[in-house]
Amino acid sequence: AQSVTQPDIHITVSEGASLELRCNYSYGATPYLFWYVQSPGQGLQLLLKYFSGDTLVQGIKGFEAEFKRSQSSFNLRKPSVHWSDAAEYFCAVGASGGSYIPTFGRGTSLIVHP
Amino acid sequence: NAGVTQTPKFQVLKTGQSMTLQCAQDMNHNSMYWYRQDPGMGLRLIYYSASEGTTDKGEVPNGYNVSRLNKREFSLRLESAAPSQTSVYFCASSLGGAVSDTQYFGPGTRLTVL
């Protein structure tokens, strides 16, 4: 079965600084990878997803993520963080050979200082 | 186009009481899901419905029942609430049974069981 790890429970950055949120997955074949964002008091919204092709994926709100098979990682990045990016971020992994429902990580809470 | 709607937004129950959480989607999606979100635990799948007329257990189904009333609606019932069921509950939907599908989430129901 697939699994996903988000090593950082909290990340604090200053507004305007760059951001990288880590995600590591465990799955034998090519995984289907997702990043979702949850703003305070709201449901989750898809930022981006990857399942084939170019390993650098562009998403909404200026986010991008890079799939690195050798490191089993799918880290989320943003070059300049805005205060409105403060939220909970979830990485998820899906497996083509098993259940079609993705497995979610435990989330990383992003705090943005002015 | 409202997307995924959930009612109620907040609920407080006493131990042993029952309640039903309602979920509806207007995107003509085939698959629907119920998750619970607890601090540090991420999202855990309670039940899902791959298509109208079918339901299946997820990771944490004990203490819950579901009904796929029609293609639009998927309800979650707590027959005898327990304090361990204090959580935020999210309903989600997706187009079908493809691992690449995006999930669309409702705003959540915040449930407290005293």
Side-chain angles (χ1 to χ4, degrees):
Chain A
Q2 71 270 25
S3 66
V4 60
T5 302
Q6 294 180 247
D8 303 305
I9 298 174
H10 302 284
I11 291 278
T12 300
V13 299
S14 298
E15 192 169 14
S18 63
L19 171 70
E20 183 168 28
L21 301 182
R22 296 185 291 165
C23 173
N24 295 101
Y25 67 90
S26 174
Y27 180 59
T30 299
Y32 290 70
L33 295 159
F34 308 80
W35 274 102
Y36 285 83
V37 60
Q38 182 184 25
S39 297
Q42 298 186 23
L44 280 69
Q45 178 186 21
L46 180 74
L47 280 175
L48 47 81
K49 58 183 175 181
Y50 169 82
F51 28 92
S52 66
D54 193 345
T55 57
L56 185 62
V57 182
Q58 302 297 322
I60 62 171
K61 305 186 181 191
F63 286 92
E64 67 179 26
E66 186 171 12
F67 171 61
K68 293 185 177 180
R69 184 187 300 276
S70 61
Q71 298 177 18
S72 296
S73 69
F74 188 57
N75 294 348
L76 182 71
R77 301 194 296 245
K78 187 170 185 178
S80 178
V81 169
H82 188 261
W83 63 267
S84 60
D85 293 324
E88 190 90 15
Y89 291 81
F90 293 93
C91 183
V93 60
S96 59
S99 168
Y100 69 94
I101 302 171
T103 299
F104 285 84
R106 296 190 173 193
T108 297
S109 179
L110 175 64
I111 301 164
V112 180
H113 281 312
Chain B
N1 188 337
V4 179
T5 57
Q6 292 182 235
T7 55
K9 285 186 167 50
F10 301 92
Q11 184 70 49
V12 178
L13 293 178
K14 295 181 180 178
T15 296
Q17 288 185 318
S18 63
M19 79 162 295
T20 299
L21 282 65
Q22 306 286 354
C23 173
Q25 51 91 10
D26 62 2
M27 295 174 282
N28 201 34
H29 284 171
N30 291 303
S31 300
M32 298 185 73
Y33 316 83
W34 277 106
Y35 292 92
R36 60 177 289 172
Q37 182 182 31
D38 303 291
M41 301 296 290
L43 287 173
R44 292 184 291 171
L45 183 66
I46 305 171
Y47 271 94
Y48 67 100
S49 171
S51 61
E52 186 179 357
T54 69
T55 60
D56 285 289
K57 296 178 181 179
E59 180 186 355
V60 289
N62 291 345
Y64 306 94
N65 285 299
V66 291
S67 295
R68 184 73 183 267
L69 304 169
N70 48 54
K71 190 171 185 178
R72 290 187 63 247
E73 298 172 288
F74 188 39
S75 63
L76 178 72
R77 182 161 178 84
L78 286 70
E79 291 290 351
S80 179
S84 61
Q85 293 178 305
T86 293
S87 187
V88 181
Y89 292 86
F90 288 100
C91 177
S93 70
S94 66
L95 182 59
V99 67
S100 58
D101 283 351
T102 297
Q103 292 198 352
Y104 294 83
F105 287 80
T109 294
R110 283 146 184 80
L111 175 66
T112 301
V113 183
L114 303 175

